[in-house]
Amino acid sequence: MIQSSSNSPRQSENAATVTATAHPNIALVKYWGKASEARNIPAVGSLSLTLDGLATTTRVAAADEDRFELNGDTDASMGQRAFAFLDQYWPGRPALDIASDNNFPTAAGLASSASGFAALTLAVDSLLDGGRDRESLAQCAGSGSGSAARSLFGGVVRLDPPAQRDGDIRVRQVAEASDFPLELVIAVTSAARKPIGSTEAMRATAATSPYFDAWVRDQAQDLDAAEQAVAARDFDALAAVTEKSCMKMHAVMLGNDPWLLYWNAATVACIHEVRVLRASGLGVCFTIDAGPQLKAVCLPEDADRVAETLAGVDGVTDVLRASLGRGAFLHSA
Ligand code: 2P0
């Protein structure tokens, strides 16, 4: 399902091109808010599932000037963000030609910045140094986009905020993909780019939402509950904390001034469908990110039923499926 990007005429087919793929991840315990904007340090920890199927594939080569292409087109604003990020970690780096392709909608609440920064970090590290371990790569990717830190690892991943002020985030795998097989059914309700990006929305939440302090205060408890549920392979317990964390995150941003809501009517209809399906005995729960798509987390035996049901909801334009996958990886030369 990984789309191969067309060969860019600008990149020569030589050994100095490095290609990396990373999958997006979906948080069950959500990241929302920053402790430091300058270092992009999250105010709260998070716990996520790294997916397979959906993917960003990024090719990097030394060049005579910086160039950045996303999905075959020059993307000035993403390029600016990517090169500013690279300058922080690789000061004095050579000019780079970067071509990145997503095989799923970009900036639509499907975590394309997570897979994008994870693939970029791994590819550039390999091209320029190749020396960082996974945790250092995760810290580096996380400074580009908080959720990207989690895509360096596969399966179920936990990110904790720094233990001390000025410290680093800590990221680790808590379960392999095969330890707790789960499936994701993603109900796409709009493929449009989101009207307000997560970074800006989080800034507004920290500055204006009266619920932000309570959100930060209770996060560690939710993280521990989710990690215990994963360790016990307890789907019901995981479902409870997943939906709680999702609803709390959206409640916090509803408290922004002005208020912010990423959902549309179909998102709400999908929430109700998932509730009905679970009441009928299926292993399914939902989460929603900074966009209107609903992600149903399912026990594998129930995923077909969930997909059929969500495909029939008014306003659902597409249904994507994924299992749990591996962390970011390099292609062999
Ligand atoms: C998450 N999201 O935990 C949460 C839930 C969206 C909702 O991480 O500002 O693109 O680049 O660090 O990582 C999306 O935020 O934000 C995100 P930045 P990012 O998956």
Side-chain angles (χ1 to χ4, degrees):
M1 182 163 172
I2 297 172
Q3 224 172 40
S4 66
S5 53
S6 61
N7 279 336
S8 159
R10 294 186 278 94
Q11 288 189 5
S12 57
E13 296 289 313
N14 59 33
T17 298
V18 172
T19 306
T21 290
H23 299 296
N25 67 77
I26 299 300
L28 305 186
V29 177
K30 301 297 198 187
Y31 152 46
W32 195 255
K34 297 177 199 283
S36 160
E37 272 224 25
R39 297 179 57 220
N40 205 37
I41 299 288
V44 293
S46 49
L47 182 134
S48 59
L49 307 177
T50 301
L51 307 185
D52 69 2
L54 312 187
T56 299
T57 296
T58 300
R59 288 171 300 133
V60 179
D64 46 9
E65 61 177 356
D66 283 341
R67 285 185 289 255
F68 186 89
E69 255 186 35
L70 182 62
N71 298 329
D73 292 319
T74 304
D75 187 317
S77 85
M78 272 308 292
Q80 206 176 20
R81 186 173 168 191
F83 289 120
F85 156 71
L86 295 175
D87 286 339
Q88 256 191 317
Y89 272 88
W90 288 275
R93 65 174 174 80
L96 295 171
D97 188 354
I98 300 171
S100 195
D101 291 282
N102 293 327
N103 70 355
F104 61 99
T106 300
L110 289 171
S112 56
S113 72
S115 50
F117 276 94
L120 179 66
T121 299
L122 184 61
V124 172
D125 175 75
S126 170
L127 184 77
L128 300 183
D129 318 321
R132 286 180 165 82
D133 61 22
R134 281 277 145 170
E135 176 139 22
S136 310
L137 288 168
Q139 286 162 359
C140 177
S143 75
S145 189
S147 53
R150 303 183 309 233
S151 280
L152 266 304
F153 294 88
V156 186
V157 181
R158 176 168 173 164
L159 184 157
D160 283 288
Q164 304 100 20
R165 228 186 129 78
D166 302 331
D168 291 316
I169 56 164
R170 295 153 295 154
V171 194
R172 64 190 163 88
Q173 184 182 57
V174 302
E176 301 265 2
S178 55
D179 289 341
F180 193 7
L182 293 170
E183 295 218 6
L184 265 283
V185 172
I186 302 173
V188 178
T189 65
S190 167
R193 280 178 177 255
K194 57 183 114 168
I196 166 166
S198 322
T199 308
E200 192 186 339
M202 286 186 208
R203 188 180 301 135
T205 297
T208 67
S209 176
Y211 312 129
F212 186 63
D213 290 347
W215 161 254
V216 173
R217 189 191 61 217
D218 294 347
Q219 188 77 350
Q221 208 171 297
D222 289 352
L223 277 170
D224 291 343
E227 186 172 350
Q228 279 161 23
V230 170
R233 315 285 180 263
D234 182 341
F235 185 83
D236 290 339
L238 188 63
V241 70
T242 295
E243 292 188 354
K244 179 168 79 155
S245 180
C246 167
M247 289 311 216
K248 280 200 296 184
M249 181 188 80
H250 288 277
V252 171
M253 64 178 93
L254 273 175
N256 284 17
D257 184 11
W259 58 267
L260 174 61
L261 178 64
Y262 281 110
W263 306 353
N264 58 32
T267 319
V268 177
C270 288
I271 291 173
H272 289 298
E273 284 298 344
V274 169
R275 192 159 57 171
V276 169
L277 289 169
R278 191 156 73 253
S280 77
L282 267 63
V284 58
C285 65
F286 68 84
T287 189
I288 303 160
D289 293 298
Q293 334 306 352
L294 179 134
K295 288 102 181 196
V297 181
C298 312
L299 288 173
E301 59 271 27
D302 294 329
D304 286 346
R305 274 274 307 282
V306 171
E308 277 162 31
T309 304
L310 294 181
V313 172
D314 248 11
V316 170
T317 56
D318 199 6
V319 170
L320 310 175
R321 303 273 299 257
S323 316
L324 302 199
R326 61 194 285 207
F329 60 95
L330 290 167
H331 295 221
S332 45

